[in-house]
Amino acid sequence: MSTPTLPDILRQAIEARVAEVHVSLPGRVESYDHATQKASVKPLIKRRLADGRELELPVIVNVPVVFPRSGVASLTFPINRGDGVLLVFSERAMELWLSKGGVQAPGAPRKHALTDAIAIPGLYPFSQTSPAEDNTSLLLRLKNARLNMADDGTILVNNGSKAAAKLGS
């Protein structure tokens, strides 16, 4: 067996470190608390080790779920077990910022750690059909209820029965 060269040692060290850096992964909601907007999420792509073995990543708990929101407006919707999310991993430890807000020191020295994930709802594999009916209108639906806003200004409201209300043109 030959002695590893300095470039070999450096490459192995860099690859080992990069293997610990998480950027984003698809995930599946295991549980969700709407009051705190925190979820437990299972990452859906395994980690491949240097020796070729594959390991499932653990469920990540207390993951903040991100919805569109500003100081005066917000959009929320039901999140259920099995729903798809995009997990994004923070560059720095987030617990100080999550607990206090404002500008914070990084606190713990973690970078891109599994424990510093946020979840963005709506990521699904291409094997699941899109709910979009076309590429020209806005569709808001909840179970059988639908609100469809067409690009000509027409708004169609349907509560799941045969009755529907049409507003506009």
Side-chain angles (χ1 to χ4, degrees):
M1 180 182 245
S2 64
T3 304
T5 65
L6 180 58
D8 291 336
I9 294 169
L10 290 174
R11 184 177 56 254
Q12 289 172 355
I14 291 168
E15 287 175 1
R17 180 62 187 126
V18 169
E20 296 298 321
V21 174
H22 303 283
V23 179
S24 64
L25 287 169
R28 179 185 64 232
V29 173
E30 297 297 311
S31 64
Y32 176 67
D33 179 345
H34 76 278
T36 62
Q37 291 188 330
K38 293 180 188 175
S40 292
V41 181
K42 173 71 175 164
L44 296 178
I45 296 181
K46 296 176 182 179
R47 179 176 175 199
R48 179 169 286 142
L49 303 176
D51 63 7
R53 289 181 298 143
E54 294 178 350
L55 298 175
E56 286 192 23
L57 294 170
V59 171
I60 306 167
V61 298
N62 294 321
V63 177
V65 176
V66 177
F67 288 99
R69 179 175 167 178
S70 71
V72 298
S74 66
L75 170 67
T76 62
F77 44 83
I79 301 287
N80 296 297
R81 180 181 175 91
D83 285 345
V85 297
L86 173 64
L87 289 168
V88 179
F89 302 94
S90 179
E91 180 178 323
R92 301 285 181 185
M94 291 183 22
E95 63 263 16
L96 285 176
W97 181 82
L98 285 169
S99 65
K100 298 179 179 184
V103 177
Q104 296 296 327
R110 295 186 311 273
K111 295 179 183 177
H112 301 280
L114 288 176
T115 54
D116 293 309
I118 64 166
I120 302 170
L123 181 63
Y124 287 86
F126 293 139
S127 59
Q128 290 189 9
T129 306
S130 167
E133 295 173 351
D134 57 49
N135 195 37
T136 61
S137 61
L138 180 139
L139 173 64
L140 179 62
R141 71 177 180 84
L142 178 60
K143 296 184 180 181
N144 292 329
R146 297 173 116 58
L147 175 92
N148 188 303
M149 191 179 318
D151 59 358
D152 67 0
T154 302
I155 299 172
L156 182 63
V157 180
N158 187 321
N159 65 3
S161 69
K162 292 184 180 182
K166 186 174 182 178
L167 309 170
S169 310

